[in-house]
Amino acid sequence: MAPLSWRHHTLIQALLTRGPLKEHDFRSIFSQIIGKTSGSGKQQQQEQRLLNEYLGKINSELSYVQLELRACRNQYDGLVYYGVVNNVSDDQSKLGTKYTVPQIAFYKGIVEAIIQDAEAGGCIFNTAALNIKLETQVLGATDSQSEGGALQIPPAFKNFSMSLKEKALDQLVKDQWLCSLPEGKIGIGVRSFLDLRSWFRSNEVPACEVCNEAAIKAQLCQNEACNVRLHLYCLKKKFSGQKGERVCPGCGMQWHGSTVKADIIEEMNHSNGPSSKSQRPEASRKRIRRSYEEGNADTAEYGSSLNFDAIADTKRVTRRSARLSAN
């Protein structure tokens, strides 16, 4: 395969320097790069095919350095975003992030609190986020250890004061790992939606019945024995134009509630295509990755991952398990 051209590199660099971009902005940059503007339906189809080719070639090359250019939907506004993510989950990738271990533990605690909401509200209050205890994020922590006092808490965790939490929270929102919502609430950021897709699945976060992505901000079936969740934009897609009664795709119970609170953009019709598997030796791949990161030293943080695999795992919480624990 021919090496990437300056056009491919420009597209990658735009995401590395600016962070995740809305689909409209990403496509605008792409149109400028190829020197064409979207016109008729036929021209749009041609541009879409060309974009798919670009994405396929870019990801084929980025796979050698274990990076990926991917798209996701922001579950709060329904918009599609593009970004470069890190597919590595080893210690080297953890060292590549600008966040400290206590900050990553704090971030993970916030994400866990949000995804464990049995009502799929997709957020917690700012005050609740600041009061999250880092002790619960220590590897191997259990309730019995915590109560017995046998657990060794790292000094950095003990010294992570409220002011440090506030600074970390502001930075996480600024970097789009988290987002600030109305009424003083904190939600999952677009970079987390891009980067934590596999983590959501491995931690059994209930998936949307339509798109099969983690349903963090979603509507629930009113049947408490049913675990079906639907994103607001997937709800619109499923029921728009449907005649007759809207029913749950799982249990058949009537589905109540509005489809969306605001107009949501239509489903993006694109395919990145399968990336070819790397055949290069491990040492060669690491050299390429190191060279790539050194060449983008000022912007590498946007391709880094806030990995927290070394911190204690969370458990899936559903409405049923929440009721059982309450009893």
Side-chain angles (χ1 to χ4, degrees), residues 10-289:
T10 301
L11 203 57
I12 297 171
Q13 195 66 27
L15 292 172
L16 290 175
T17 55
R18 305 182 190 187
L21 293 174
K22 293 180 180 179
E23 180 186 19
H24 176 270
D25 297 330
F26 180 76
R27 286 180 175 272
S28 176
I29 293 173
F30 178 70
S31 296
Q32 294 177 43
I33 290 174
I34 63 176
K36 297 180 181 179
T37 56
S38 299
S40 63
K42 186 175 182 180
Q43 289 176 322
Q44 290 177 352
Q45 291 177 359
Q46 292 175 344
E47 183 175 320
Q48 181 62 56
R49 284 196 296 269
L50 185 58
L51 176 59
N52 291 341
E53 292 175 4
Y54 267 67
L55 295 179
K57 188 171 183 178
I58 286 173
N59 280 330
S60 178
E61 289 295 318
L62 289 183
S63 65
Y64 296 132
V65 291
Q66 294 173 295
L67 298 174
E68 181 184 355
L69 195 165
R70 71 168 61 148
C72 77
R73 277 198 187 274
N74 184 333
Q75 296 188 19
Y76 302 97
D77 60 18
L79 298 179
V80 174
Y81 288 76
Y82 282 84
V84 175
V85 301
N86 183 356
N87 289 327
V88 184
S89 59
D90 58 14
D91 293 337
Q92 285 77 11
S93 69
K94 294 181 181 65
L95 294 174
T97 178
K98 67 180 182 181
Y99 290 96
T100 64
V101 172
Q103 288 173 331
I104 294 175
F106 177 55
Y107 163 72
K108 183 170 186 276
I110 294 174
V111 172
E112 287 182 354
I114 293 173
I115 67 174
Q116 289 185 42
D117 177 13
E119 298 301 320
C123 61
I124 59 174
F125 281 103
N126 186 295
T127 51
L130 293 174
N131 283 304
I132 285 176
K133 296 182 179 180
L134 270 63
E135 290 84 346
T136 60
Q137 300 300 320
V138 178
L139 181 63
T142 63
D143 293 338
S144 59
Q145 284 178 312
S146 299
E147 293 173 0
L151 186 63
Q152 295 294 324
I153 307 300
F157 282 28
K158 293 180 180 179
N159 298 329
F160 201 64
S161 63
M162 185 63 70
S163 62
L164 291 176
K165 286 183 178 180
E166 290 175 345
K167 291 180 180 179
L169 187 59
D170 289 341
Q171 191 63 49
L172 287 164
V173 171
K174 180 181 178 182
D175 291 343
Q176 301 184 71
W177 289 108
L178 299 173
C179 68
S180 180
L181 300 171
E183 301 179 357
K185 295 180 180 180
I186 297 295
I188 302 292
V190 66
R191 290 184 69 184
S192 294
F193 285 125
L194 281 165
D195 204 271
L196 299 184
R197 180 181 294 170
S198 60
W199 187 85
F200 290 144
R201 289 173 179 168
S202 64
N203 282 275
E204 299 182 344
V205 177
C208 171
E209 191 74 12
V210 173
C211 68
N212 204 35
E213 293 290 341
I216 296 169
K217 172 65 175 175
Q219 282 192 10
L220 311 180
C221 174
Q222 290 194 330
N223 180 1
E224 293 191 348
C226 179
N227 290 323
V228 168
R229 297 186 179 194
L230 294 174
H231 295 125
L232 297 180
Y233 43 86
C234 290
L235 192 61
K236 177 183 178 182
K237 178 182 178 181
K238 182 172 181 61
F239 293 134
S240 61
Q242 179 177 316
K243 297 181 180 180
E245 189 177 49
R246 297 183 304 174
V247 298
C248 172
C251 67
M253 183 177 180
Q254 184 178 2
W255 195 281
H256 296 280
S258 59
T259 55
V260 284
K261 295 181 180 179
D263 289 335
I264 301 297
I265 62 171
E266 294 300 322
E267 182 76 18
M268 182 180 66
N269 181 23
H270 85 287
S271 173
N272 289 349
S275 299
S276 59
K277 294 184 178 179
S278 171
Q279 299 295 326
R280 302 187 186 184
E282 182 68 20
S284 174
R285 185 162 59 241
K286 288 183 177 180
R287 283 198 301 272
I288 295 172
R289 182 183 182 87

